[in-house]
Amino acid sequence: MQEDDKKYNIDIIPNQGKIFGIVLICLLSGSLFYFGRNMFIFVFLVFPVINYLLPSKQKRFLKYQSVLPTSKIRSVAIGLAEIEGRLLMIKPVITPIKKKECIGYRYKIESVSKDRYQKKTYEIIKDEINCNPFFVEDDTGEIEVNPINISFVWIPIDERYERRGKRYTQYVLYPNDKMLLVGKSSIKKNNKPVFEYEDLKKVFSISPASKISTYNFYKPLLNSFISFVFIFAFITALILITPIKIKENKIDIETPKIENPFK
């Protein structure tokens, strides 16, 4: 197999993105002083909403797995689908830490720095997935998985250590692990089914079935908490822009003045 067919870099924020983030923070901080209290609406309400709605591989995976039924492998339809089963190894790969045989791994290297309070911070300098094709099997049959562009969601840490200012972490897929996958079911040239990356929805992820069951169980509580946070942020922003005056032991609350800060 070609190296490009089994090794893929994970999305890492480039230097330009980091510079943009720093500039954005500086602009927001300056806006609080220049535009006044109206900017609190953006900081406490609009910005969290935008951040919540920004797409990511994990968010797309959780979105589709929550609405897709889990298909039996023998009857899985062509197109976007969700399957669940135990993993079967075809050809092993060797992990970079302790040289273990496995189906695939994610390997992450982070630089470690400390502030004056000795609190550690980590910055990703390398993040990649190395995975060979494998099978997923349930009680109805098996299907081959083409791992190009696959992403790991909530795969547990297998090994981790720190040395010379760097932290090394690997996440591993082993044979017989019970996993849930969301991707595209297709037919190969030899008329055999294959499960792979869905290029229209841009989703192809694997996650432990037990963790997904736990997430789905607690998801209603999580949604309620997120709704509470948004409402609390809105009320906080409203209070911050509401003129309040105290005269002769009386509190006068005026109508909030929301102005266009970009006039």
Side-chain angles (χ1 to χ4, degrees), residues 26-40 259-263:
C26 293
L27 289 175
L28 287 176
S29 301
S31 298
L32 290 176
F33 294 98
Y34 186 77
F35 295 123
R37 294 175 297 180
N38 289 327
M39 285 304 299
F40 279 103
E259 301 175 353
N260 182 3
F262 301 102
K263 283 184 178 180

Side-chain angles (χ1 to χ4, degrees), residues 88-132:
L88 303 177
M89 186 163 61
I90 300 175
K91 181 181 178 181
V93 294
I94 307 300
T95 63
I97 302 177
K98 296 189 177 180
K99 307 300 180 183
K100 304 176 182 179
E101 286 192 354
C102 65
I103 291 172
Y105 63 81
R106 177 184 177 187
Y107 183 53
K108 184 166 64 175
I109 303 176
E110 301 161 288
S111 62
V112 184
S113 57
K114 296 181 180 179
D115 59 19
R116 59 178 180 174
Y117 301 108
Q118 299 301 305
K119 182 180 179 180
K120 293 182 178 180
T121 56
Y122 301 90
E123 181 180 3
I124 297 175
I125 58 178
K126 180 179 181 179
D127 197 347
E128 67 179 20
I129 288 177
N130 193 340
C131 190
N132 278 337

Side-chain angles (χ1 to χ4, degrees), residues 190-207:
N190 57 4
N191 289 325
K192 290 186 177 181
V194 63
F195 207 72
E196 58 188 0
Y197 177 72
E198 215 294 339
D199 52 354
L200 293 179
K201 303 294 185 181
K202 300 186 183 303
V203 59
F204 184 34
S205 297
I206 184 170
S207 182

Side-chain angles (χ1 to χ4, degrees), residues 14-238:
N15 290 332
Q16 298 90 332
K18 296 175 184 177
I19 294 173
F20 175 77
I22 294 173
V23 172
L24 181 60
I25 292 173
C26 293
L27 289 175
L28 287 176
S29 301
S31 298
L32 290 176
F33 294 98
Y34 186 77
F35 295 123
R37 294 175 297 180
N38 289 327
M39 285 304 299
F40 279 103
I41 296 178
F42 182 84
V43 174
F44 284 93
L45 184 60
V46 179
F47 184 75
V49 171
I50 293 175
N51 183 63
Y52 176 73
L53 295 176
L54 284 176
S56 70
K57 292 180 180 179
Q58 178 171 310
K59 288 178 182 178
R60 284 194 291 267
F61 167 71
L62 294 174
K63 170 188 174 182
Y64 289 117
Q65 74 81 28
S66 66
V67 297
L68 288 171
T70 303
S71 301
K72 291 295 185 180
I73 290 176
R74 178 178 294 176
S75 58
V76 61
I78 300 300
L80 184 65
E82 172 184 298
I83 59 174
E84 180 180 327
R86 67 185 187 96
L87 308 186
L88 303 177
M89 186 163 61
I90 300 175
K91 181 181 178 181
V93 294
I94 307 300
T95 63
I97 302 177
K98 296 189 177 180
K99 307 300 180 183
K100 304 176 182 179
E101 286 192 354
C102 65
I103 291 172
Y105 63 81
R106 177 184 177 187
Y107 183 53
K108 184 166 64 175
I109 303 176
E110 301 161 288
S111 62
V112 184
S113 57
K114 296 181 180 179
D115 59 19
R116 59 178 180 174
Y117 301 108
Q118 299 301 305
K119 182 180 179 180
K120 293 182 178 180
T121 56
Y122 301 90
E123 181 180 3
I124 297 175
I125 58 178
K126 180 179 181 179
D127 197 347
E128 67 179 20
I129 288 177
N130 193 340
C131 190
N132 278 337
F134 59 94
F135 285 102
V136 177
E137 179 186 59
D138 65 10
D139 56 355
T140 66
E142 62 184 30
I143 188 171
E144 184 178 344
V145 177
N146 175 4
I148 294 178
N149 291 328
I150 196 169
S151 62
F152 287 13
V153 176
W154 297 335
I155 303 299
I157 294 173
D158 179 70
E159 298 285 349
R160 169 176 281 175
Y161 69 91
E162 290 187 19
R163 180 184 297 171
R164 297 177 183 177
K166 291 184 175 63
R167 183 169 73 173
Y168 303 83
T169 309
Q170 72 180 20
Y171 312 80
V172 180
L173 300 177
Y174 288 110
N176 295 316
D177 284 348
K178 189 174 182 180
M179 294 286 169
L180 183 143
L181 295 88
V182 173
K184 180 177 69 174
S185 175
S186 305
I187 299 296
K188 297 199 299 183
K189 293 181 179 179
N190 57 4
N191 289 325
K192 290 186 177 181
V194 63
F195 207 72
E196 58 188 0
Y197 177 72
E198 215 294 339
D199 52 354
L200 293 179
K201 303 294 185 181
K202 300 186 183 303
V203 59
F204 184 34
S205 297
I206 184 170
S207 182
S210 59
K211 291 186 179 294
I212 294 300
S213 296
T214 302
Y215 169 78
N216 289 334
F217 179 79
Y218 288 106
K219 186 181 177 183
L221 293 177
L222 178 62
N223 290 340
S224 298
F225 174 75
I226 293 173
S227 299
F228 170 79
V229 170
F230 285 164
I231 293 173
F232 178 79
F234 176 77
I235 294 174
T236 301
L238 193 62

